[in-house]
Amino acid sequence: MTYLSTGELSKRLKVSVRTLRYYDQIGLVQPSKKGEGGKRFYSPEDILALEKILLLKSLSLSLEDSKKIVTEKSITSILLVHKSLLEEQVDSIQKSIQHTTSLLNILKLEGTINWEDLLSLVVHQEHERDWQQYFTEDEKQLLREQLPKLENDDSTTKKWVNIMKRIEMCMDREVSPQSVDMQLIMEDITILSEETFQGDQQLMDKFWEVRKSEKASADLRLYPIKPAIIEYIEQALQVEK
């Protein structure tokens, strides 16, 4: 039988000598043979046990649970609990990604973070939006599926963010709502609205009335459109009519 010293095993499995000594100390993986001066040697069985522990460690299992699994105690129950914990972590990470994306989109829109608006959109996400006060069940379902969301990084959300930014740029340059530039933006809004609302003009008009209302937008936790922007768009819409 071939034995490996602590140093040799460390090099083969790319594990620090300190870690091997710690595993030995806590009784997780102990060498089967000791030589002169307390030198430790690992048998093939010891090496296999260590490889199992390293594999379980890569799954983010605790050393305690890893030891139980290696000794074939409660393997199924431990793995099921561990799977559940990992799923919770995935959910938490996904929410963090969504909140970060919201921050990035708000920064693009505002150039700074409006904390009051952000908190109202993010912190209270678990509360049900008051859709039924403004829309039918069918309209609510379509809006939930189609509306752009700040926490998303999809192309539709990016298009709407870019449109809002272009409108603000026109306003900053004091471009008339009747200008060619603004009317081109209005055409883009019309095209994107038809895509978002699937050609339902009545729902488009209904949703725009909701967006013009500060209270309604707050009830639905939609990112607020500045009154000045709403007025500017309304003036541009008069030209279209």
Side-chain angles (χ1 to χ4, degrees):
M1 182 181 293
T2 303
Y3 287 84
L4 294 180
S5 68
T6 301
E8 290 170 333
L9 184 58
S10 171
K11 291 178 181 178
R12 174 181 288 191
L13 298 184
K14 295 181 173 56
V15 182
S16 69
V17 171
R18 182 179 179 180
T19 296
L20 293 175
R21 287 174 179 168
Y22 176 66
Y23 288 175
D24 181 8
Q25 181 183 347
I26 64 176
L28 187 59
V29 179
Q30 294 179 311
S32 299
K33 182 179 177 182
K34 291 186 180 180
E36 295 181 2
K39 194 170 184 180
R40 291 163 170 77
F41 294 92
Y42 292 81
S43 69
E45 290 78 12
D46 300 331
I47 297 170
L48 178 60
L50 178 60
E51 289 175 329
K52 290 179 181 178
I53 292 296
L54 294 176
L55 172 62
L56 294 172
K57 183 181 178 183
S58 72
L59 304 179
S60 299
L61 274 165
S62 68
L63 292 179
E64 182 180 353
D65 284 341
S66 296
K67 184 176 181 180
K68 290 177 182 177
I69 290 176
V70 168
T71 55
E72 299 184 357
K73 296 179 181 178
S74 306
I75 295 177
T76 301
S77 60
I78 291 172
L79 288 177
L80 285 173
V81 170
H82 182 62
K83 179 175 179 288
S84 177
L85 291 173
L86 289 176
E87 288 171 345
E88 289 180 11
Q89 292 174 18
V90 168
D91 183 59
S92 177
I93 290 172
Q94 186 59 44
K95 286 180 179 177
S96 295
I97 292 173
Q98 290 175 347
H99 294 170
T100 302
T101 303
S102 295
L103 282 171
L104 289 168
N105 282 326
I106 290 172
L107 276 171
K108 188 170 184 179
L109 283 168
E110 305 287 349
T112 185
I113 295 298
N114 185 327
W115 289 104
E116 183 177 348
D117 291 335
L118 179 64
L119 291 172
S120 69
L121 292 171
V122 171
V123 175
H124 306 294
Q125 279 185 344
E126 67 278 7
H127 298 152
E128 180 67 21
R129 301 187 186 198
D130 194 11
W131 291 99
Q132 59 270 22
Q133 183 177 344
Y134 302 98
F135 302 101
T136 67
E137 191 64 32
D138 289 342
E139 290 171 340
K140 178 176 72 172
Q141 185 62 32
L142 188 146
L143 291 172
R144 279 179 163 174
E145 294 174 356
Q146 297 294 119
L147 281 182
K149 300 175 181 63
L150 283 175
E151 64 267 25
N152 288 351
D153 199 29
D154 57 274
S155 61
T156 299
T157 300
K158 289 178 179 177
K159 288 175 184 177
W160 279 113
V161 168
N162 286 343
I163 281 176
M164 295 303 296
K165 195 63 183 176
R166 287 163 61 196
I167 292 173
E168 287 195 325
M169 290 171 65
C170 283
M171 293 174 65
D172 290 342
R173 299 199 314 268
E174 297 184 353
V175 174
S176 169
Q178 290 80 33
S179 69
V180 173
D181 286 349
M182 186 56 189
Q183 291 306 305
L184 285 173
I185 292 175
M186 294 306 297
E187 283 187 28
D188 287 342
I189 289 178
T190 299
I191 293 170
L192 192 52
S193 294
E194 288 176 352
E195 293 176 3
T196 300
F197 297 96
Q198 298 183 351
D200 189 336
Q201 185 61 52
Q202 183 178 351
L203 183 56
M204 290 184 218
D205 296 338
K206 194 174 182 180
F207 185 74
W208 178 236
E209 290 303 314
V210 166
R211 293 303 272 129
K212 289 192 292 183
S213 167
E214 185 176 344
K215 178 183 182 304
S217 291
D219 287 341
L220 297 177
R221 294 203 319 280
L222 299 170
Y223 194 75
I225 302 177
K226 297 173 185 177
I229 293 178
I230 291 174
E231 182 181 353
Y232 190 73
I233 293 174
E234 284 285 280
Q235 292 174 9
L237 283 171
Q238 293 304 315
V239 177
E240 284 194 334
K241 294 177 181 178

